[in-house]
């Protein structure tokens, strides 16, 4: 196995987990400065400033249309922004396709609708990028993929196709697929919103496990229990701007902004 | 619950045993019920269809088989034979024209003593296509066996047992042996590599040169010409069409503009016009004295024409894929071409199979248009045959034979596309 992978898998070892939870390094992983984005005339993101340190877990929440998904999609250049800057692991995000690919290799992403490749088996889904992007030998890529499929607890599904799996299983495969690239940062774009209620827990368990292992994570989610459990900071967005940002405990017990209070009352009411 | 007085509790106390379906829904009777007599309207349609067949088939069989004539020198002789054997006013097919002219309909004016070269090329085409279309070489093996049988039979029927050993039989026998021994899936890669050499071998065999006697393309004709144009157009238009489709969806404005202009121009002009450009107008643009082969010009035009249509079919497949597939490929760090090759195109082309095959079939039939610019494809050959005093007035037999040739090819493509769709559906069991 490659050295980079060894480092990741060590970090992911549950034995190291609890200590790792505490350690947030001073190193900046993602630095978003005065970022603005427009869709045509529509100002979707306004003056976003966010520093994410290595090992930090950020939960982004807010009403629909507030720009939270757009924000994290800017980080791996799925969306372009027009003003300001984003720096990922010291690499500034420009329109240079080489730089973009470089950043995408280090940033894993999990989508709301899984986006697995339906024409490939689970194992092939996981090994494709390591083989073609990292130039990993096939056998090694298989070993790595099986390692992460075991971590998300579905190694027995390796030979099946995505269509044969339940939603929860597909989302866990999607997480394993992203981890196979041994990314430094993981982005989650509403990973449980498309799931049946009984499957949400299995995905959240994997994400909690991942958080404990010290992975830098930015999660757009409405799972407030998850936010309380693992987040260092909760970011609340409304109408394209960051309205409030705080540690989970004060954020939930003592929200400052009116809009935050309203949002929390609506989301926690039922 | 609101209306408590009607509440009925139910708890299953046992698991019901599985039963076989009723006899009337399985087997032959079940099939007939399900497919032919499922409703009143269906029953009526079934009976009407059977009545139609009963009404039309006996006449066709009578004309085409029972009262047909295979040995005659002219249409008049045909009619006299029918009159002598079946009486006045009876009509029957005069297949003698096909018997006399089938070599011409198949090869055009390709020299008779060199016809083994198109034959061998055709066999090699089968061997080259099989690894592309199928997983094993088994279909090629059976094709070779059939070709060997036909070739030997033809030699015996000609009454020249000595000519059994000719290039066609030798290649068919060797091909059968090779495809049998190395027919497994594990050799598919090697066969595909070998298939890459086919275009060069085919050009060498058909056009001649080096050690083979050169044959002028003006002698190419008949079904040979149809196959040359059809196969080249099909093989060339798919990759070109894919590139055009990708270009049309490209983010680079110049690439996009070029592709859109090309596609819209070609689609806006009839094929016949392009063929006239190829046959006459192109000469004005080329430097004087250059002899740019007419068939080559036609090949280029037909390929470009089909590729514009192909591009739009493939673009439909690309557009049908969810955006998430493109984004997932991007986020994994795959480059554009990697993403297209590994993720997008395999799925987009699968969706497009019906449209792609549709374009192939259309292209194959459009090859008959070359008759208009004086090339002698089977349809182009009907005019000289029909103006021959011996066969003056013959219609059904000639066009029927040509229709049969085209039908076999187009129907084969259609069946293959159904087979491929089923195979791919089985592969990812969605």
């Amino acid at each position: 196995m490659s050295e980079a992978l060894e480092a990741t898998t060590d970090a992911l070892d549950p034995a190291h987990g609890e200590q790792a939870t505490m350690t947030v390094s001073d190193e900046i992983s993602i630095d978003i400065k005065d970022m603005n984005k427009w869709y045509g005339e529509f100002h979707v993101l306004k003056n976003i400033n966010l520093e994410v340190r290595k090992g930090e877990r950020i939960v982004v929440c807010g009403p629909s249309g507030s720009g939270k998904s757009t924000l994290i999609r800017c980080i791996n250049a799925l969306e372009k922004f027009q003003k300001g800057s984003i720096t990922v692991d010291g690499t500034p995000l420009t329109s240079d396709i080489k730089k973009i690919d470089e950043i995408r290799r280090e940033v894993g992403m999990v989508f709301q609708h899984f986006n697995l490749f339906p024409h490939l088996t689970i194992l092939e889904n996981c090994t494709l990028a390591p083989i073609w992007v990292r130039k990993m030998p096939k056998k090694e890529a298989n070993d790595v993929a099986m390692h992460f499929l075991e971590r998300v607890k579905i190694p027995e599904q390796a030979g099946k196709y995505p269509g044969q799996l339940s939603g929860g299983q597909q989302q866990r495969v999607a997480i394993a697929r992203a981890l196979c690239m041994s990314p430094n940062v993981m982005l989650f774009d509403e990973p449980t919103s498309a799931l049946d209620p009984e499957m949400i827990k299995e995905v959240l368990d994997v994400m909690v496990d991942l958080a404990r292992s010290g992975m830098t994570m930015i999660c757009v989610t409405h799972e407030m229990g998850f936010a309380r459990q693992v987040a260092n900071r909760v970011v609340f967005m409304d109408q394209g701007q960051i309205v409030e940002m705080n540690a989970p405990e004060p954020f939930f017990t003592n929200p400052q902004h009116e809009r935050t209070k309203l949002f929390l009352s609506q989301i926690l009411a039922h | 619950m609101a209306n408590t007085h009607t509440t009925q509790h139910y708890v299953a106390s046992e698991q019901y045993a599985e039963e076989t379906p009723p006899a009337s829904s399985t087997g032959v009777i079940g099939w007939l019920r399900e497919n032919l007599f499922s409703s009143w309207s269906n029953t009526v349609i079934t009976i009407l269809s059977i009545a139609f067949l009963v009404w039309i088939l006996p006449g066709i069989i009578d004309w085409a088989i029972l009262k047909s004539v295979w040995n005659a020198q002219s249409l008049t002789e045909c009619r006299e034979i029918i009159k002598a054997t079946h009486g006045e006013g009876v009509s029957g097919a005069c297949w003698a024209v096909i018997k006399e002219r089938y070599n011409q309909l198949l090869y055009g004016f390709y020299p008779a003593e060199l016809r083994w070269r198109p034959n061998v090329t055709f066999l090699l085409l089968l061997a080259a296509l099989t690894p592309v279309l199928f997983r094993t070489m088994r279909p090629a093996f059976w094709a070779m066996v059939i070709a060997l049988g036909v070739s030997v039979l033809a030699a015996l029927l000609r009454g020249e047992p000595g000519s059994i050993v000719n290039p066609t039989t030798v290649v068919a026998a060797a091909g059968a042996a090779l495809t049998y021994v190395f027919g497994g899936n594990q050799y598919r890669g090697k066969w595909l590599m070998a298939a890459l050499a086919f275009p060069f071998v085919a050009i060498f065999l058909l056009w001649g040169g080096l050690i083979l006697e050169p044959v002028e393309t003006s002698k190419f004709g008949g079904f040979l010409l149809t196959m040359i144009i059809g196969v080249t157009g099909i093989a060339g238009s798919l990759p070109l069409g894919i590139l055009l489709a990708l270009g049309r969806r490209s983010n680079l404005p110049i690439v996009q503009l070029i592709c859109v202009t090309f596609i819209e121009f070609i689609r806006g002009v009839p094929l016949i016009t392009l063929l006239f450009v190829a046959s006459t107008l192109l000469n004005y643009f080329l430097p004087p004295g250059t002899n740019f082969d007419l068939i080559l010009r036609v090949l280029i035009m037909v390929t470009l024409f089909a590729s514009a249509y192909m591009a739009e079919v493939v673009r439909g497949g690309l557009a049908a894929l969810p955006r998430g597939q493109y984004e997932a490929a991007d986020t994994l760090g795959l480059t554009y071409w990697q993403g297209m090759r590994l993720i997008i195109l395999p799925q987009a082309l699968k969706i497009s199979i019906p449209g792609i095959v549709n374009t192939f079939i259309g292209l194959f039939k459009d090859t008959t248009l070359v008759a208009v610019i004086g090339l002698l494809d089977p349809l182009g050959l009907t005019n000289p045959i029909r103006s021959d005093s011996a066969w003056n007035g013959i219609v059904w037999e000639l066009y029927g034979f040509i229709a049969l040739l085209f039908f076999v090819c187009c129907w084969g493509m259609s069946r293959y596309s159904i087979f491929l769709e089923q195979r791919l559906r089985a592969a990812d069991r969605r």
Side-chain angles (χ1 to χ4, degrees), chain A residues 9-220:
Chain A
T9 50
D10 268 352
L12 285 171
D13 189 348
H16 300 74
E18 288 305 324
Q19 290 94 332
T21 314
M22 301 303 131
T23 52
V24 172
S25 97
D26 292 334
E27 237 179 298
I28 304 282
S29 178
I30 297 173
D31 191 4
I32 305 177
K33 275 207 173 76
D34 298 324
M35 196 260 277
N36 282 270
K37 175 175 175 58
W38 286 264
Y39 280 130
E41 290 292 302
F42 179 50
H43 201 169
V44 245
L45 292 175
K46 301 167 190 160
N47 285 323
I48 304 288
N49 281 288
L50 184 64
E51 256 181 26
V52 183
R53 281 169 294 159
K54 275 219 167 88
E56 216 181 359
R57 279 90 52 199
I58 309 274
V59 164
V60 184
C61 59
S64 79
S66 60
K68 16 184 228 311
S69 289
T70 313
L71 169 61
I72 67 165
R73 286 161 61 86
C74 282
I75 296 173
N76 63 359
L78 285 183
E79 304 278 355
K80 281 183 200 155
F81 55 93
Q82 284 79 27
K83 234 175 98 181
S85 71
I86 297 180
T87 311
V88 181
D89 279 330
T91 313
L93 193 54
T94 58
S95 58
D96 178 6
I97 191 75
K98 282 238 171 66
K99 283 271 191 295
I100 289 177
D101 277 341
E102 201 176 298
I103 286 172
R104 281 174 175 165
R105 282 198 286 273
E106 307 306 326
V107 178
M109 184 152 192
V110 176
F111 299 88
Q112 182 179 358
H113 294 287
F114 333 132
N115 295 352
L116 294 179
F117 305 130
H119 63 301
L120 301 176
T121 63
I122 299 307
L123 188 65
E124 286 165 346
N125 263 278
C126 293
T127 56
L128 184 105
I131 289 174
W132 290 94
V133 180
R134 295 256 188 250
K135 311 289 174 210
M136 198 183 273
K138 192 172 176 197
K139 200 182 164 307
E140 193 186 327
N142 281 344
D143 290 345
V144 173
M146 285 314 292
H147 170 85
F148 284 111
L149 286 175
E150 267 160 42
R151 276 197 61 87
V152 300
K153 303 189 186 67
I154 35 175
E156 72 281 0
Q157 312 284 5
K160 291 194 182 167
Y161 287 87
Q164 296 168 284
L165 269 54
S166 73
Q169 290 174 322
Q170 289 194 45
Q171 193 60 298
R172 285 186 281 152
V173 171
I175 295 173
R177 177 176 73 178
L179 290 176
C180 282
M181 285 293 283
S182 42
N184 297 330
V185 184
M186 286 284 285
L187 307 175
F188 291 84
D189 187 2
E190 308 211 27
T192 56
S193 302
L195 294 178
D196 288 339
E198 77 228 56
M199 292 166 186
I200 292 178
K201 187 176 177 299
E202 64 188 54
V203 172
L204 287 181
D205 283 348
V206 167
M207 288 169 63
V208 169
D209 188 44
L210 189 62
R212 294 226 167 103
S213 70
M215 174 65 76
T216 313
M217 294 163 72
I218 302 181
C219 310
V220 172

Side-chain angles (χ1 to χ4, degrees), chain B residues 294-324:
Chain B
L294 177 61
I295 287 190
L296 198 60
R297 282 181 270 164
V298 167
L299 285 179
I300 292 170
M301 279 303 181
V302 169
T303 307
L304 293 182
F305 185 78
S307 68
Y309 284 84
M310 193 59 70
E312 290 299 282
V313 171
V314 173
R315 191 167 69 95
L318 290 172
L321 277 196
R323 219 170 115 80

